[in-house]
Amino acid sequence: MQLPAPFDYERATSVDHAIQLLDRLGSGARIVAGGHSLLPMMKLRLVNVEYLIDINDLHRELGYVRVEPARIRIGAMTRHRELLDSPELRRSLPIFHDAERAIADPLVRNRGTIGGALCQADPSEDLSAVCTTLDASCVIRGPGGERVVTMAEFYRGPYETAVGAAEILTEIRIPLRPNGSSAFEKVGRRAGDWPIVSCGVAVWLDGAVITDARVGLAAVGPNTTGIPTVSRALRGRPPSEELFAEAGAIAAACCTPVDDQRGSAGYKRHLAAELTRRALRRAVARLDGRES
Amino acid sequence: MQVTMTVNGAEATGEIEARLLLVHFLRDHLSLTGTHWGCDTSNCGACAVWLDGEPVKSCTVLAAMAAGHEVRTVEGLERFGELDAVQRGFMECHGLQCGFCTPGMLMTARALLDRNPSPSEQEIREAISGQTCRCTGYATIVRSVQWAAAEEAGTRTSIVDDGAP
Ligand code: FES
Ligand code: FES
């Protein structure tokens, strides 16, 4: 029987209570949300905790998707399934729907949360690539109050984030700009698996010209990576198959995949190019109303 | 620590270690061995139960996390001595061979039909995509769920499914 090593269990009843618990219990305390990353790691003794602070009751406070004119705010306890099912999100940011369809499986999606996924900071994690692509920012609350960091600041390295000892991620904020769309493409070894490579794209058009574009890749570097060189290459040019291929080639050149059991570095580079191309094609098609 | 939760409509209490997983609480403390325990790594779905009405993998939920919540297991499908339509569907359409994956499949199927009474084959396959049948009876599992959907809609035409493999 695989059980985690012994720990004490606490249940937080509010964000402030969770912060108090973290503050009081010190460095041996760890937050659990959906638990689908943390509990398996605890079973394998890759993570050992003295105190586990269950924040599932905070779903009432932190489970939401709120659309505002210039941004969308997503509560950290919003579950994958809620992101997948949210019509507002599908309308404004279809990249979420694309990604969520391919994250784990329906049962896992019933539990796992966006906050947990981001805090796990796995370089292969799809929602991290989505948030990187969308230039999201993260709201972190601690005993001293709230601070907001960019995704680039949030990720410190594999499995490491800017969330400090007595802090908790409470919200993800995504800017909304007009005349834009987005898409996500992923290739995995089998349904519901981690990606070999996945790619998010957001693109904005003014008439026939791309005004801005962002590409985020997962599983091809120490963290999910945004590729500014691709954005520069796309700006000011009309969308075309040639341009998408050019962007793909830049993405492949800019990432740093390694050989592992999911594939060779060469194959991953190939995927980075191809998936960038496909995601750009799909996002632009959505803008033209050719695809939903 | 002491935990109390509702299991199949009745209150269940136990004195447990915080690290105990829900699947073991159900099987070892409550003797509800209908819920199976397979991979232990949230891959196979043999351990699927409902937590507050949604199917989850009980090998990846602590019993402590379920305290105060509502759990439903395969034992809770039968009502007043009568099997649920999904259970009858699995019987009629050879939806099980060894039966190991069956409790999990049944719980997911019931949740699917509650939300979507006439799912397409694709929707059924997606709903069970987090679950493994090692006897690879997926075709008959899909048919069993379709049988249950038709039964509940009152549109089922023949009693016995002839399409068994
Ligand atoms: S035992 Fe829980 S998913 Fe396999
Ligand atoms: S019936 Fe044997 S595992 Fe599914």
Side-chain angles (χ1 to χ4, degrees), chain A residues 239-292:
Chain A
S240 69
E241 275 300 316
E242 294 70 42
L243 186 64
F244 301 160
E246 192 182 317
I250 297 173
C254 289
C255 62
T256 51
V258 291
D259 295 329
D260 62 15
Q261 79 283 6
R262 291 195 201 123
S264 67
Y267 176 53
K268 292 179 187 178
R269 265 187 218 283
H270 164 76
L271 282 181
E274 180 56 30
L275 297 185
T276 300
R277 211 155 103 168
R278 286 186 204 167
L280 275 167
R281 193 185 290 143
R282 172 117 63 107
V284 169
R286 281 178 170 150
L287 268 173
D288 302 346
R290 280 181 282 125
E291 210 176 301
S292 64

Side-chain angles (χ1 to χ4, degrees), chain B residues 84-86 88 110 113-114 117 147-156:
Chain B
D84 187 272
V86 293
R88 283 181 281 133
R110 184 66 265 160
L113 293 184
D114 284 351
W147 187 99
E151 169 77 359
E152 292 186 325
T155 56
R156 194 170 55 73

Side-chain angles (χ1 to χ4, degrees), chain A residues 151-221:
Chain A
M151 285 304 289
E153 291 161 346
F154 186 78
Y155 286 120
R156 293 271 172 85
Y159 309 104
E160 254 182 79
T161 70
V163 180
E167 288 186 323
I168 169 170
L169 172 65
T170 56
E171 186 176 274
I172 295 89
R173 291 180 181 162
I174 297 156
L176 282 181
R177 289 147 61 185
N179 306 318
S181 194
S182 55
F184 194 80
E185 294 281 347
K186 167 172 171 174
V187 170
R189 290 170 300 180
R190 54 178 192 271
D193 198 4
W194 293 91
I196 301 173
V197 176
S198 59
C199 171
V201 154
V203 59
W204 293 268
L205 287 182
D206 180 6
V209 173
I210 295 175
T211 51
D212 199 5
R214 294 179 57 88
V215 172
L217 295 171
V220 288

Side-chain angles (χ1 to χ4, degrees), chain B residues 95-102 132-135 141:
Chain B
L96 62 146
Q97 293 179 62
C98 78
F100 194 79
C101 68
T102 314
T132 307
C133 176
R134 267 300 164 238
C135 304
I141 291 172

Side-chain angles (χ1 to χ4, degrees), chain B residues 27-128:
Chain B
R27 290 177 55 85
D28 303 342
H29 288 246
L30 305 182
S31 301
L32 292 172
T33 51
T35 301
H36 288 168
W37 171 50
C39 67
D40 210 3
T41 55
S42 58
N43 281 293
C44 75
C47 64
V49 302
W50 288 12
L51 185 59
D52 296 331
E54 300 292 349
V56 302
K57 292 178 171 175
S58 63
C59 70
T60 312
V61 175
L62 295 170
M65 293 169 94
H69 292 268
E70 246 172 76
V71 176
R72 192 173 175 202
T73 69
V74 70
E75 287 89 347
L77 280 183
E78 181 198 84
R79 290 273 156 102
F80 310 112
E82 194 174 323
L83 294 180
D84 187 272
V86 293
Q87 292 173 305
R88 283 181 281 133
F90 273 65
M91 281 172 61
E92 295 292 343
C93 304
H94 308 275
L96 62 146
Q97 293 179 62
C98 78
F100 194 79
C101 68
T102 314
M105 293 289 181
L106 289 171
M107 295 315 285
T108 309
R110 184 66 265 160
L112 172 68
L113 293 184
D114 284 351
R115 203 207 278 217
N116 177 359
S118 53
S120 65
E121 172 175 353
Q122 186 55 34
E123 286 168 332
I124 296 171
R125 286 187 180 271
E126 251 177 64
I128 60 167

Side-chain angles (χ1 to χ4, degrees), chain A residues 47-200:
Chain A
V47 174
N48 286 310
V49 308
E50 268 174 84
Y51 300 96
L52 197 65
I53 303 172
D54 180 357
I55 59 164
N56 279 282
D57 285 355
L58 273 49
H59 184 262
R60 284 186 295 267
E61 200 177 339
L62 296 182
Y64 55 81
V65 174
R66 289 189 190 129
V67 184
E68 297 176 355
R71 65 179 181 186
I72 288 189
R73 293 160 52 207
I74 302 176
M77 279 302 292
T78 310
R79 302 198 193 272
H80 289 296
R81 142 102 188 284
E82 295 169 310
L83 297 173
L84 180 64
D85 287 351
S86 160
E88 296 92 354
L89 214 48
R90 188 166 188 185
R91 206 172 317 118
S92 327
L93 301 168
I95 184 173
F96 270 102
H97 192 264
D98 292 349
E100 283 295 355
R101 283 183 53 115
I103 292 176
D105 62 60
L107 282 73
V108 172
R109 292 198 294 259
N110 278 339
R111 282 303 278 175
T113 64
I114 184 170
L118 263 52
C119 288
Q120 179 70 11
D122 188 308
S124 305
E125 202 279 310
D126 293 314
L127 276 189
S128 306
V130 168
C131 291
T132 301
T133 303
L134 295 173
D135 196 17
S137 44
C138 296
V139 183
I140 299 171
R141 206 188 296 172
E146 219 168 66
R147 61 200 179 97
V148 181
V149 300
T150 65
M151 285 304 289
E153 291 161 346
F154 186 78
Y155 286 120
R156 293 271 172 85
Y159 309 104
E160 254 182 79
T161 70
V163 180
E167 288 186 323
I168 169 170
L169 172 65
T170 56
E171 186 176 274
I172 295 89
R173 291 180 181 162
I174 297 156
L176 282 181
R177 289 147 61 185
N179 306 318
S181 194
S182 55
F184 194 80
E185 294 281 347
K186 167 172 171 174
V187 170
R189 290 170 300 180
R190 54 178 192 271
D193 198 4
W194 293 91
I196 301 173
V197 176
S198 59
C199 171

Side-chain angles (χ1 to χ4, degrees), chain A residues 32-44:
Chain A
V32 66
H36 278 60
S37 300
L38 186 57
L39 292 177
M41 289 180 86
M42 287 169 64
K43 285 183 183 180
L44 294 169

